[in-house]
Amino acid sequence: MTQKTLPFSNQEIEKIAQEYGTPFHIYDEKAIRNNVRRLQTAFQWNPGFKEYFAVKATPNPHILKLLAEEGAGADCSSLAELLLAEKVGLRGERIVFSSNDTPGVEYRKARELGAIINLDDITHIDFLAKEAGMPEMISFRFNPGPLRKGGNDIIGNPEDAKYGLTRDQMFEAYKKVKDLGVKRFGLHTMVISNELNPDFFVETARMMFDLALDVKKMLNINIEIINLGGGIGIPYRPEQKAVDLEYVGYRIKEVYEEIIIPAGIAPVRVVMECGRMITGPYGYLVTRALHKKETYKNYIGLDACMADLMRPALYGAYHHITVVGKEEQPLDYKYDVTGSLCENNDKFAIDRMLPKIDIGDLIVIHDAGAHGHAMGFNYNGKLRSKELLLKPDGRVDIIRRAETIDDYFATLDFSKI
Ligand SMILES: *Cc1c(COP(=O)(O)O)cnc(C)c1O
């Protein structure tokens, strides 16, 4: 069970809503800091551990900055994400560039910043060499394909994923870059997403440690960094349980001691690229009930829409909803909670049991801190909302203004009409 709480009182959030206007995303700085510290502590047995925050989850420089202050790096996969990392002062090996289908300009920027480049395919070696030159260090993304039964088969169906190199290609790729003069080597994978079973991460680590050992045996190459990717899930539903990070860290340490140490290939830096679990639970979409409609079903229309949070519409994802001030009331009304897009899937919840909602009620949609604002879009002329940061002392900073109609029209030239 996960208690769905709010980091502000009802009076506080009402005051913030009146001051800034709804809808907005608000992030809880203190909780985000504590959370990334907890992940780092769980892996402090590995002196080289680093969390490279997956920028795509919450691409706001204020969030990146506070994570950087905690020692985190950035995992980027586009030019804009590299620039965001650069602007908050991240450089060199505090950036991992884990991209796919990458244009030359992005490799050039990653090289300029000295980022660790993680290649997604064997053919990208020549592409990188031609477009940006070979760096001293290269990492490759491993796709384990159909996994053995009884072994790592719990990890999923990586053979359906567009990412990464096959096992045979991994060996060929390391040999090739070594021949091209690369001196330092990384190994990466990202085979799971939004996973709540802690053992999946331990099994991923085992698979990766075994592979590092095989690379050593077959090519006499020492892997310096093993990047386990992201994918730690969050309990979107109250009945789900958060991943026990201390358990994951401890069990991966055991596997490290079982495989890496006896093989004499220690020290290896173990790193992660979590996005969702770092910010997801600590961001809230705050919106107001704008309309109430009773037809074949009962609808509550909000002043937010799927441009503010598209996960429910995109994957039918559950996001918990709190009606501010009605926490103690019985959940005896069944609603579809909708946005305003001319798309019938623009719904934050379908057939959700909630307290009776009145027009003007403040509605908080939980777990919107990752892939929430970030996935925003302008379909139907909808504008992305503002982002606020709740500071540890209770103050609120605006960390991104809302889009305006002028932003929407900025790419159009009416003089040519
Ligand atoms: C999306 C992504 C991540 C982060 O995944 P989460 O599920 O947010 O932890 C890490 N690495 C890569 C390469 C990704 O594409």
Coordinates of all heavy atoms in Angstrom, one line a residue, residues 51-57 75-77 96-100 118 141 163 188-190 192-195 227-233 272-278 370-371, ligand 1:
E51 N 23.8 8.5 -10.3 CA 22.5 8.5 -10.9 C 22.6 9.6 -12.0 O 22.8 10.8 -11.7 CB 21.4 8.8 -9.8 CG 20.2 9.5 -10.3 CD 19.3 8.7 -11.3 OE1 19.7 7.6 -11.6 OE2 18.4 9.3 -11.9
Y52 N 22.4 9.2 -13.2 CA 22.3 10.2 -14.3 C 20.8 10.4 -14.6 O 20.1 9.5 -15.1 CB 23.0 9.6 -15.6 CG 24.5 9.5 -15.5 CD1 25.1 8.3 -15.0 CD2 25.3 10.6 -15.9 CE1 26.5 8.3 -14.9 CE2 26.6 10.5 -15.8 CZ 27.2 9.3 -15.3 OH 28.6 9.3 -15.3
F53 N 20.3 11.5 -14.1 CA 18.8 11.7 -14.2 C 18.4 11.7 -15.7 O 19.0 12.5 -16.5 CB 18.4 13.0 -13.5 CG 17.0 13.3 -13.6 CD1 16.0 12.5 -13.1 CD2 16.6 14.5 -14.3 CE1 14.7 12.9 -13.2 CE2 15.3 14.8 -14.5 CZ 14.3 14.0 -13.9
A54 N 17.4 10.9 -16.0 CA 16.9 10.9 -17.4 C 16.1 12.2 -17.6 O 15.0 12.3 -17.2 CB 16.0 9.7 -17.6
V55 N 16.7 13.1 -18.3 CA 16.2 14.5 -18.5 C 14.8 14.5 -19.1 O 14.0 15.3 -18.7 CB 17.2 15.3 -19.4 CG1 16.6 16.7 -19.6 CG2 18.5 15.5 -18.7
K56 N 14.5 13.5 -19.9 CA 13.2 13.5 -20.6 C 12.1 13.5 -19.6 O 11.0 13.9 -19.9 CB 13.1 12.4 -21.6 CG 13.0 11.0 -21.0 CD 12.6 10.0 -22.0 CE 12.3 8.6 -21.4 NZ 13.4 7.7 -21.5
A57 N 12.3 12.9 -18.4 CA 11.2 12.8 -17.5 C 10.7 14.1 -17.0 O 9.5 14.3 -16.9 CB 11.7 12.0 -16.2
D75 N 21.2 12.2 -18.0 CA 21.1 11.2 -19.1 C 20.3 11.9 -20.2 O 19.1 12.2 -20.0 CB 20.4 9.9 -18.7 CG 19.9 9.1 -19.8 OD1 20.6 9.0 -20.8 OD2 18.8 8.5 -19.7
C76 N 21.0 12.2 -21.3 CA 20.3 13.0 -22.4 C 20.2 12.1 -23.6 O 21.0 11.2 -23.9 CB 21.2 14.2 -22.8 SG 21.6 15.2 -21.4
S77 N 19.2 12.5 -24.5 CA 19.1 11.8 -25.7 C 18.7 12.7 -26.9 O 18.1 12.2 -27.9 CB 18.2 10.6 -25.6 OG 16.9 11.0 -25.2
V96 N 25.6 11.5 -19.7 CA 25.6 10.3 -20.5 C 24.7 10.6 -21.7 O 23.6 11.2 -21.5 CB 25.1 9.0 -19.8 CG1 24.8 7.9 -20.8 CG2 26.0 8.6 -18.8
F97 N 25.2 10.4 -22.9 CA 24.3 10.6 -24.1 C 23.9 9.3 -24.6 O 24.6 8.6 -25.3 CB 25.1 11.4 -25.1 CG 24.3 11.8 -26.3 CD1 23.1 12.6 -26.1 CD2 24.6 11.5 -27.6 CE1 22.4 13.0 -27.2 CE2 23.9 11.9 -28.7 CZ 22.7 12.6 -28.5
S98 N 22.7 8.9 -24.2 CA 22.1 7.6 -24.5 C 21.0 7.8 -25.5 O 19.8 7.8 -25.1 CB 21.4 7.0 -23.2 OG 22.2 6.0 -22.6
S99 N 21.3 8.0 -26.7 CA 20.3 8.3 -27.7 C 20.1 7.2 -28.7 O 20.8 6.1 -28.6 CB 20.9 9.5 -28.5 OG 22.1 9.2 -29.1
N100 N 19.2 7.3 -29.6 CA 19.1 6.3 -30.7 C 18.7 7.1 -31.9 O 18.1 8.2 -31.8 CB 18.1 5.2 -30.3 CG 16.7 5.7 -30.2 OD1 15.9 5.6 -31.1 ND2 16.3 6.2 -29.0
N118 N 26.9 6.7 -25.6 CA 26.4 5.4 -25.5 C 25.8 5.0 -26.8 O 24.7 5.5 -27.1 CB 25.4 5.3 -24.3 CG 24.9 3.9 -24.1 OD1 25.6 2.9 -24.1 ND2 23.6 3.8 -23.8
R141 N 25.0 0.0 -25.9 CA 23.7 -0.4 -25.3 C 23.4 -1.8 -25.7 O 23.3 -2.1 -26.9 CB 22.6 0.6 -25.8 CG 21.2 0.2 -25.3 CD 20.2 1.3 -25.6 NE 19.0 1.0 -24.9 CZ 18.0 1.9 -24.7 NH1 18.2 3.2 -25.1 NH2 16.9 1.6 -24.1
Y163 N 15.9 -0.9 -29.5 CA 17.2 -0.4 -28.9 C 18.3 -1.5 -28.9 O 18.0 -2.6 -28.7 CB 16.9 0.1 -27.5 CG 15.8 1.1 -27.4 CD1 14.6 0.7 -26.8 CD2 16.0 2.4 -27.9 CE1 13.6 1.6 -26.6 CE2 14.9 3.3 -27.7 CZ 13.7 2.9 -27.1 OH 12.7 3.8 -27.0
H188 N 25.9 -0.7 -21.3 CA 24.6 -0.1 -20.9 C 23.5 -1.0 -21.3 O 23.6 -1.7 -22.3 CB 24.5 1.3 -21.6 CG 23.1 1.9 -21.5 ND1 22.1 1.5 -22.4 CD2 22.6 2.8 -20.7 CE1 21.0 2.2 -22.1 NE2 21.3 3.0 -21.0
T189 N 22.4 -1.0 -20.5 CA 21.2 -1.6 -21.0 C 20.0 -0.9 -20.4 O 20.2 -0.2 -19.4 CB 21.1 -3.1 -20.7 OG1 20.1 -3.7 -21.6 CG2 20.7 -3.4 -19.3
M190 N 18.9 -1.1 -21.0 CA 17.6 -0.5 -20.4 C 16.6 -1.4 -21.0 O 16.0 -1.2 -22.1 CB 17.5 1.0 -20.9 CG 16.2 1.6 -20.7 SD 16.0 2.5 -19.2 CE 14.2 2.7 -19.2
I192 N 13.8 -2.6 -19.1 CA 12.5 -2.6 -18.4 C 12.1 -1.1 -18.2 O 12.9 -0.2 -18.1 CB 12.5 -3.3 -17.1 CG1 13.9 -3.2 -16.4 CG2 12.1 -4.8 -17.2 CD1 14.1 -4.0 -15.2
S193 N 10.8 -1.0 -18.0 CA 10.2 0.3 -17.8 C 9.1 0.2 -16.7 O 8.3 -0.7 -16.8 CB 9.7 0.9 -19.1 OG 9.2 2.1 -18.9
N194 N 9.1 1.2 -15.9 CA 8.0 1.3 -14.8 C 7.8 0.0 -14.1 O 6.7 -0.5 -13.9 CB 6.7 1.8 -15.5 CG 5.7 2.2 -14.4 OD1 6.1 2.5 -13.3 ND2 4.4 2.2 -14.7
E195 N 8.9 -0.7 -13.7 CA 8.9 -2.0 -13.1 C 8.9 -1.8 -11.6 O 9.8 -1.1 -11.0 CB 10.1 -2.8 -13.6 CG 10.2 -4.2 -13.0 CD 8.9 -5.0 -13.2 OE1 8.6 -5.2 -14.4 OE2 8.3 -5.3 -12.2
N227 N 26.1 0.5 -16.8 CA 25.0 1.4 -16.7 C 23.7 0.5 -16.8 O 23.4 0.0 -17.8 CB 25.0 2.5 -17.8 CG 23.9 3.5 -17.7 OD1 22.9 3.2 -17.1 ND2 24.1 4.6 -18.3
L228 N 23.0 0.5 -15.6 CA 21.8 -0.4 -15.6 C 20.6 0.3 -16.1 O 19.5 -0.3 -16.0 CB 21.6 -0.9 -14.1 CG 22.8 -1.6 -13.5 CD1 22.5 -1.9 -12.0 CD2 23.2 -2.9 -14.3
G229 N 20.7 1.5 -16.6 CA 19.6 2.2 -17.2 C 18.6 2.7 -16.1 O 19.0 2.8 -15.0
G230 N 17.4 3.0 -16.5 CA 16.4 3.4 -15.6 C 15.4 2.3 -15.4 O 15.7 1.1 -15.3
G231 N 14.1 2.7 -15.4 CA 13.0 1.7 -15.4 C 12.4 1.4 -14.0 O 11.5 0.6 -14.0
I232 N 13.0 2.0 -13.0 CA 12.4 1.7 -11.7 C 11.0 2.4 -11.7 O 10.9 3.6 -11.9 CB 13.3 2.3 -10.5 CG1 14.6 1.5 -10.5 CG2 12.5 2.2 -9.2 CD1 15.5 1.9 -9.4
G233 N 10.0 1.6 -11.4 CA 8.6 2.1 -11.5 C 8.2 2.8 -10.2 O 8.9 2.9 -9.2
M272 N 23.2 4.4 -12.8 CA 21.8 4.2 -13.3 C 21.4 5.5 -13.9 O 22.0 6.6 -13.8 CB 20.9 3.9 -12.1 CG 21.1 2.5 -11.5 SD 19.7 1.9 -10.5 CE 18.6 1.3 -11.7
E273 N 20.3 5.4 -14.7 CA 19.7 6.5 -15.4 C 18.2 6.5 -15.1 O 17.4 6.4 -16.0 CB 19.8 6.3 -16.9 CG 21.1 6.1 -17.5 CD 21.0 5.8 -19.0 OE1 20.0 5.2 -19.5 OE2 22.0 6.0 -19.7
C274 N 17.9 6.7 -13.9 CA 16.4 6.7 -13.5 C 15.9 8.1 -13.8 O 16.5 9.1 -13.6 CB 16.3 6.4 -12.1 SG 16.8 4.7 -11.7
G275 N 14.7 8.1 -14.3 CA 13.9 9.3 -14.5 C 12.7 9.3 -13.6 O 12.5 10.0 -12.6
R276 N 11.7 8.4 -14.0 CA 10.4 8.4 -13.4 C 10.5 8.3 -11.9 O 9.7 9.1 -11.2 CB 9.7 7.1 -14.0 CG 8.3 6.9 -13.5 CD 7.8 5.5 -13.8 NE 8.0 5.2 -15.2 CZ 7.3 5.4 -16.2 NH1 6.1 6.0 -16.0 NH2 7.6 5.1 -17.5
M277 N 11.3 7.4 -11.3 CA 11.2 7.2 -9.9 C 11.8 8.4 -9.1 O 11.5 8.6 -7.9 CB 11.9 6.0 -9.4 CG 13.4 5.8 -9.6 SD 14.5 6.5 -8.4 CE 13.8 5.9 -6.9
I278 N 12.6 9.3 -9.8 CA 13.2 10.4 -9.1 C 12.2 11.5 -8.9 O 12.1 12.1 -7.8 CB 14.4 11.0 -9.9 CG1 15.5 9.9 -10.1 CG2 15.0 12.2 -9.3 CD1 16.2 9.4 -8.9
A370 N 6.9 13.1 -13.6 CA 7.7 12.6 -14.7 C 6.8 12.3 -15.8 O 5.7 11.7 -15.6 CB 8.5 11.3 -14.2
H371 N 7.2 12.6 -17.0 CA 6.5 12.3 -18.3 C 5.1 13.0 -18.2 O 4.1 12.5 -18.7 CB 6.3 10.8 -18.6 CG 7.6 10.1 -18.4 ND1 7.7 8.9 -17.7 CD2 8.9 10.4 -18.8 CE1 9.0 8.5 -17.7 NE2 9.7 9.4 -18.3
Ligands
LIG1 C1 13.6 6.7 -20.6 C2 15.0 6.3 -20.4 C3 15.5 6.3 -19.1 C4 14.7 6.6 -17.9 O1 13.7 5.7 -17.7 P1 12.7 5.8 -16.4 O2 11.7 4.7 -16.7 O3 12.2 7.1 -16.4 O4 13.6 5.5 -15.2 C5 16.8 5.9 -19.0 N1 17.6 5.6 -20.0 C6 17.1 5.7 -21.3 C7 18.1 5.4 -22.4 C8 15.8 6.0 -21.5 O5 15.4 6.1 -22.8

